[in-house]
Amino acid sequence: MFHFKWKKIGAITGLSLALIAAGCGQQEDNSGGGDDQSDSSANISEEVDHTITGIEPGAGIAQATDNAVEEYENLAGWEHEKSSTAAMLTALGDAIDKEEPIVVTGWSPHYMFAKWDLKYLEDPNGVYGDVEKIITIARQGLKEDMPEAYTILDNFHWEPEDMESVMLDAQEMEFEEAAQKWVDDNQDVVDEWTEGVEPVDGKSIELVLTPWDTERSSANVAKIVLEQQGYDVTLTPVDPSVVFEAIAAGDADASLAPWMPATHGAFYEKHEGEFEDLGENLTGAKIGLVVPSYMDIDSIEDLEPAE
């Protein structure tokens, strides 16, 4: 089981911080018919108060955004306002309702892209990396201790659309229900994951995950599939760094949460060789700065420095 010291760390770091709403003024068309991109970008930068609305400080995208503020000269004087995923989504929704500008840290798969018309800002410096993949990691010795669970986790692979469907359903129901709905609707996929796996009788397994909807989706689907094979599954949400620490120390069994190579790459490198990499469980993931599509900018370099 996941020892108390890890649970304590996870409870502290995984909790959402206080709501920090982005103070954005109403965007006006002062660009002289749209032919003065510099003026338009300056207006947008001023209206968002030279602020990027972020999520939890421990997230990989938070570290990447801190790097972006340092590496892009035109982001001089900008503030990366770290808060929580819920706070960021609230601020984004409020801005969209008022058709105001806002710059947020975003990632996909995520239901925000199905709910709103959003776009990534181009990242010429490659700070946020290219297309990401989500991988599965396991503690050393899991294959010998729990070969059936190891096989299922090793076989687990789905598409971004699958994950987004669970996230969308989870806006109207509990994640456990949304995951069960996906499993019921995709039993043919589940059968591929469990092919040749013998059932067990109540053996305990613990999965750690980061406290975001993407990982809640994969973890809850995996939980249901493992429970169908007779496992007693515990899900423990923790900060990304603790995911790797727990698996490396053998205090948890596996995780489907790591985003690679950029988002959690530093944590992976720190503990490389102390866990087993079972490979990707989803490809096509992406992180970066995101804005509503009505905003007249396309690149991070379109933003203007604070005076």
Side-chain angles (χ1 to χ4, degrees):
M1 286 293 291
F2 200 33
H3 298 321
F4 175 79
K5 62 181 180 180
W6 291 115
K7 287 184 179 289
K8 185 175 181 181
I9 295 172
I12 294 171
T13 55
L15 290 175
S16 298
L17 303 179
L19 174 65
I20 306 174
C24 305
Q26 181 66 36
Q27 181 180 7
E28 299 178 3
D29 185 4
N30 296 323
S31 59
D35 58 354
D36 191 339
Q37 179 66 38
S38 179
D39 286 348
S40 176
S41 300
N43 289 341
I44 288 172
S45 299
E46 291 173 1
E47 289 174 12
V48 302
D49 199 23
H50 300 95
T51 298
I52 299 166
T53 302
I55 61 169
E56 290 81 359
I61 194 173
Q63 295 183 348
T65 301
D66 285 341
N67 293 338
V69 171
E70 292 292 326
E71 292 192 24
Y72 280 95
E73 294 182 1
N74 59 298
L75 294 183
W78 277 67
E79 180 182 358
H80 174 205
E81 198 169 66
K82 301 179 184 73
S83 179
S84 69
T85 300
M88 180 274 288
L89 291 170
T90 298
L92 178 60
D94 288 346
I96 290 173
D97 287 344
K98 300 172 184 177
E99 293 192 12
E100 294 177 343
I102 187 171
V103 181
V104 304
T105 57
W107 61 97
S108 50
H110 196 280
Y111 76 84
M112 72 176 88
F113 287 92
K115 184 174 184 179
W116 297 302
D117 188 8
L118 305 172
K119 62 183 179 182
Y120 282 99
L121 293 182
E122 296 172 6
D123 175 23
N125 291 357
V127 175
Y128 290 98
D130 201 350
V131 175
E132 293 262 281
K133 61 183 178 181
I134 307 177
I135 67 170
T136 302
I137 61 174
R139 65 170 173 82
Q140 294 179 343
L142 181 68
K143 186 174 184 178
E144 292 74 25
D145 298 341
M146 303 183 196
E148 300 86 1
Y150 181 94
T151 297
I152 293 171
L153 293 169
D154 194 28
N155 289 342
F156 188 109
H157 186 281
W158 60 349
E159 302 299 326
E161 294 79 9
D162 295 316
M163 180 179 278
E164 287 178 343
S165 71
V166 175
M167 287 189 284
L168 280 170
D169 286 336
Q171 303 311 300
E172 306 295 334
M173 61 184 75
E174 296 295 325
F175 263 101
E176 293 84 351
E177 296 176 272
Q180 184 66 63
K181 180 176 181 293
W182 186 90
V183 169
D184 292 342
D185 292 342
N186 294 273
Q187 193 60 50
D188 56 334
V189 177
V190 174
D191 289 343
E192 293 178 3
W193 298 345
T194 59
E195 184 177 359
V197 175
E198 297 295 328
V200 300
D201 186 14
K203 194 163 188 176
S204 296
I205 184 170
E206 185 159 10
L207 306 180
V208 285
L209 62 145
T210 48
W212 298 299
D213 288 356
T214 43
E215 281 61 58
R216 289 189 181 104
S217 299
S218 57
N220 275 282
V221 168
K223 178 176 185 289
I224 290 169
V225 175
L226 288 165
E227 287 176 342
Q228 288 179 345
Q229 296 301 120
Y231 282 94
D232 180 11
V233 184
T234 299
L235 301 183
T236 305
V238 297
D239 186 82
S241 63
V242 182
V243 167
F244 287 87
E245 292 171 7
I247 300 298
D251 289 319
D253 294 303
S255 177
L256 297 94
W259 286 49
M260 295 295 292
T263 306
H264 298 144
F267 303 136
Y268 186 104
E269 291 177 6
K270 181 179 179 181
H271 295 284
E272 190 168 7
E274 299 174 359
F275 57 83
E276 187 171 352
D277 184 341
L278 277 60
E280 63 192 44
N281 61 64
L282 183 146
T283 55
K286 182 177 175 65
I287 65 172
L289 295 187
V290 171
V291 300
S293 293
Y294 56 72
M295 288 176 60
D296 189 23
I297 56 172
D298 297 305
S299 171
I300 295 174
E301 291 185 332
D302 290 339
L303 299 170
E304 298 287 334
E307 294 182 359

